[in-house]
Amino acid sequence: MAARRPRERGVTVEDVARVAGVSRQTISNALNAPHRLKPETLERVSAVIEELGYRPDQSARSLRSGTRRIIAYPAPVDDPANPNALMGGFLEAVVAASGEAGYRVLLVRPRPGQSQEQALDELIAARTVDGFLLSDVLRDDPRLAHLTQAGFPFAAFGRTAPDQPQSWVDVDSAQAVIDMVGLVAARGHRRVAFLASSSGLPWMDDRRDGFLAGVRRHGLAGQVYSVPGDDPGEIIKATRELLTGRDRPTAIVAGGDWLALGVYTVARAEGLEIGTDLAVTAFDDLPVTAWLQPALTTVRLPLHGIAKALISRLLQIIEDGVTPRAGLVLPGEPVIRPSLGPPHAL
């Protein structure tokens, strides 16, 4: 009868700590809270973990920490035939940032007939997730009030009310549009218009406020045109009224890239050349903007920075029990392209 081979001992956390020359706690931080380590330390420890083939016992970690290492993301409703490229990019950034922190992302949505609050309660009661990451946050968003009352960890892409946890991250849309108006003014334009959606979205309102502030700062003649909803026909109708009226603007600042598409369509129909007869800027930097002729000047949302900040803030609550005392505002990133045009000839 052949002798039984002795069972091979797996690589332990002590082995990794000894080879990396760090403490056991540092290894734990690298696996559970990498944001706590200096980049060079995290890189060295990660290399040793990979070299030794160390794989922690996930079930044991969950029992010890009381966490599932899962973040729930209530996915916004979208049209598969016309998907929202911006939110798709945001989801990718969230998954990447969560993975770097050792967490997985669970996409959730209410079942038919179920309210958003009921869907949240179901996950909380089942102890399926450690916290929620919310996007498309509106004023008086019921999800924020519900999670605040429940005392359950969450972070929000969008601002929360003063009496709610300030675990939010947002883009300074107003300042980004002020800067865009400044670029238009620097090229000699004096008659400018802002094309907005009238849907009451908080970020659109911020962009409109930024336009009005920029107009005042630079002493420009500015007007705001609102489009009822996102219907392409309505966008084209509003843009045609704007470009065929008296004292038509020589520059248009659109509140979103999809609004600028209508400007391109109407301008060509009216024999106006974008970048020469009419300067156009927008917001969001959807992939199509780089393919337009001429390519569209716009504001890019720092999606990776937003996602990393949201995950970091959420983990402060989940792992450390510390809720941020103030929200975090990140700057938009201007992307200058030919639609802005050269200095305008008055």
Side-chain angles (χ1 to χ4, degrees), residues 4-10:
R4 179 179 297 176
R5 293 180 60 186
R7 183 177 180 181
E8 294 184 4
R9 183 179 71 91

Side-chain angles (χ1 to χ4, degrees), residues 30-224:
L31 295 167
N32 303 316
H35 55 284
R36 296 178 179 174
L37 299 183
K38 294 180 179 179
E40 56 269 23
T41 302
L42 179 59
E43 182 177 359
R44 184 172 78 254
V45 172
S46 298
V48 172
I49 289 174
E50 184 66 24
E51 179 185 350
L52 298 182
Y54 174 65
R55 296 294 179 266
D57 185 332
Q58 294 292 339
S59 59
R61 289 169 66 187
S62 294
L63 287 173
R64 287 195 300 269
S65 65
T67 63
R68 297 293 181 182
R69 308 194 72 76
I70 297 176
I71 296 169
Y73 176 58
V77 176
D78 204 357
D79 180 0
N82 185 26
N84 186 326
L86 182 67
M87 296 314 296
F90 175 67
L91 176 58
E92 169 61 29
V94 166
V95 171
S98 300
E100 290 174 2
Y103 281 71
R104 292 185 174 89
V105 176
L106 175 67
L107 300 184
V108 297
R109 187 173 288 165
R111 297 193 305 273
Q114 188 180 46
S115 70
Q116 294 188 70
E117 293 87 343
Q118 288 172 332
L120 299 179
D121 284 341
E122 187 173 73
L123 290 170
I124 294 173
R127 299 183 180 180
T128 305
V129 301
D130 302 308
F132 290 90
L133 194 153
L134 308 178
S135 65
D136 285 4
V137 171
L138 305 176
R139 293 187 183 88
D140 301 320
D141 195 309
R143 299 174 300 173
L144 301 178
H146 194 76
L147 290 173
T148 298
Q149 184 176 12
F152 203 77
F154 72 88
F157 180 12
R159 307 181 192 209
T160 63
D163 61 342
Q164 295 171 342
Q166 298 299 291
S167 51
W168 57 264
V169 178
D170 202 6
V171 175
D172 195 344
S173 294
Q175 185 59 54
V177 176
I178 289 174
D179 294 341
M180 280 293 167
V181 174
L183 290 173
V184 166
R187 282 162 171 74
H189 294 276
R190 288 295 173 264
R191 296 191 309 276
V192 299
F194 183 72
L195 190 61
S197 166
S198 61
S199 53
L201 299 173
W203 50 89
M204 185 61 69
D205 292 344
D206 288 343
R207 296 170 192 181
R208 181 199 60 214
D209 292 345
F211 172 79
L212 294 174
V215 164
R216 290 192 298 269
R217 177 178 299 182
H218 296 284
L220 308 181
Q223 52 184 319
V224 174

Side-chain angles (χ1 to χ4, degrees), residues 9-21:
R9 183 179 71 91
V11 178
T12 68
V13 67
E14 287 79 10
D15 296 331
V16 178
R18 184 179 66 257
V19 174

